[in-house]
């Protein structure tokens, strides 16, 4: 796949039949299309900086223009897509400054969530978090597992946030994680990053199980610092892809 004539710095994904993915689950059509497009972006079927042309999306997915427009508006709200005058919808390429700000916010909120979870979560909630972690480790063992790992990490963080006892942190960090989705996918696509990420989270998990809040926060901070480094490296590889990138 190319963007503005430049090769994408990720291995070319296998051809995907997006239309076949719609109708598999009992959910409103618009929500199904949002999920299909979200997964296509996070698996780099649509590359950072690539224009999302309505006519082509209608043909590829097989739904109406209205449904496509509604789905794109939702992805704009999530931060995966942006609308540029005279260009239309484009897959976001975050600027380095935007990425740094998001990682800084994530670090502060996630450290708070980890500390609170370690201190207040019930034994049952800790066991649920351990189950989510083991599912993450299993997902990381497959080939081409970036999207599956992202989904498993979402389940891990959902368990963490549900048990942290702070609804404001839950909702705020959930929004930050959504805006970081493309950077997370870019980070995990770096060679060896998935295995390191799982090991970092294993350290967080073990500190939580030991009810050692300070160790859990240190491990969390280390994990986010490494994720930031990999994400920024991946971002630098895409920064020249497209004239549609943010200034």
């Amino acid at each position: 796949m190319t963007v503005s004539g430049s090769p994408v710095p990720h291995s070319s994904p296998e051809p995907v039949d997006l239309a076949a993915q719609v109708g598999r689950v009992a959910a409103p059509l618009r929500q199904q299309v949002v999920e299909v497009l979200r997964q296509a972006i996070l698996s780099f079927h649509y590359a950072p900086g690539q224009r999302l042309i309505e006519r082509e999306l209608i043909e590829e997915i097989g739904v109406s223009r209205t449904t496509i427009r509604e789905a794109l508006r939702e992805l704009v709200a999530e931060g995966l897509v942006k609308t540029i005058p005279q260009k239309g919808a484009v897959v976001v390429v975050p600027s380095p400054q935007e990425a740094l700000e998001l990682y800084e916010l994530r670090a502060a909120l996630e450290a708070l969530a980890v500390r609170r979870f370690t201190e207040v979560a019930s034994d049952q909630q800790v066991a649920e978090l351990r189950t989510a972690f083991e599912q993450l480790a299993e997902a990381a063992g497959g080939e081409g597992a970036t999207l599956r790992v992202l989904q498993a990490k979402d389940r891990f963080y959902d368990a963490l946030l549900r048990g942290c006892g702070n609804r404001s942190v839950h909702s705020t960090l959930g929004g930050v994680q959504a805006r970081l989705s493309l950077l997370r996918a870019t980070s995990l696509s770096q060679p060896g990053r998935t295995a390191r990420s799982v090991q970092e989270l294993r350290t967080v998990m073990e500190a939580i199980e030991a009810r050692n809040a300070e160790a859990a926060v240190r491990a969390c901070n280390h994990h986010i610092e490494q994720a930031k480094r990999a994400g920024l490296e991946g971002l630098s590889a895409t920064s020249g892809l497209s004239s549609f990138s943010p200034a």
Side-chain angles (χ1 to χ4, degrees):
M1 182 183 296
T2 60
V3 181
S4 300
S6 300
V8 177
H10 300 285
S11 58
S12 298
E14 294 297 320
V16 176
D17 184 357
L18 298 184
Q21 298 181 30
V22 175
R24 288 183 177 177
V25 295
L29 179 61
R30 177 186 57 79
Q31 201 55 46
Q32 291 185 58
V33 173
V34 169
E35 181 61 23
V36 165
L37 289 174
R38 183 188 295 118
Q39 291 192 21
I41 291 169
L42 296 180
S43 64
F44 304 107
H45 176 76
Y46 300 130
Q50 181 175 345
R51 291 180 62 191
L52 299 176
I53 300 170
E54 287 184 3
R55 181 188 69 258
E56 295 178 356
L57 296 178
I58 291 166
E59 294 174 356
E60 189 170 13
I61 301 176
V63 296
S64 70
R65 184 180 300 275
T66 297
T67 301
I68 290 295
R69 287 180 175 177
E70 290 174 347
L72 289 175
R73 280 197 292 270
E74 187 161 335
L75 293 173
V76 168
E78 289 183 13
L80 286 175
V81 172
K82 71 178 300 181
T83 302
I84 298 177
Q86 284 80 53
K87 300 298 182 184
V90 179
V91 178
V92 161
V93 182
S95 71
Q97 184 59 39
E98 289 169 335
L100 284 170
E101 290 172 359
L102 284 171
Y103 277 116
E104 184 177 61
L105 183 56
R106 176 190 170 189
L109 290 170
E110 198 166 311
L112 176 58
V114 165
R115 180 181 296 279
R116 289 282 297 161
F117 186 98
T118 306
E119 293 172 344
V120 307
S122 67
D123 290 345
Q124 177 61 34
Q125 288 170 323
V126 173
E128 290 171 358
L129 187 67
R130 165 58 74 172
T131 297
F133 172 76
E134 294 300 340
Q135 292 172 346
L136 167 60
E138 182 179 355
E143 293 294 326
T146 297
L147 187 56
R148 292 194 300 277
V149 171
L150 281 173
Q151 293 167 339
K153 287 190 79 171
D154 284 342
R155 292 191 293 271
F156 175 83
Y157 281 110
D158 185 60
L160 176 71
L161 292 171
R162 280 188 283 107
C164 79
N166 188 317
R167 287 178 293 180
S168 295
V169 169
H170 190 168
S171 60
T172 305
L173 184 55
V176 172
Q177 293 282 28
R179 293 175 64 194
L180 274 166
S181 292
L182 185 58
L183 283 166
R184 292 167 69 204
T186 302
S187 171
L188 290 173
S189 72
Q190 303 303 299
R193 177 59 200 152
T194 296
R196 292 193 299 273
S197 176
V198 170
Q199 187 55 46
E200 291 157 13
L201 287 175
R202 187 184 303 279
T203 305
V204 175
M205 185 72 244
E206 291 172 350
I208 288 173
E209 289 174 323
R211 298 292 186 172
N212 187 332
E214 295 302 326
V217 169
R218 285 196 302 271
C220 173
N221 288 337
H222 175 71
H223 170 62
I224 296 171
E225 184 63 29
Q226 297 308 304
K228 178 179 73 174
R229 181 175 301 177
L232 291 175
E233 287 175 357
L235 180 61
S236 69
T238 65
S239 60
L241 279 177
S242 172
S243 59
F244 308 128
S245 303

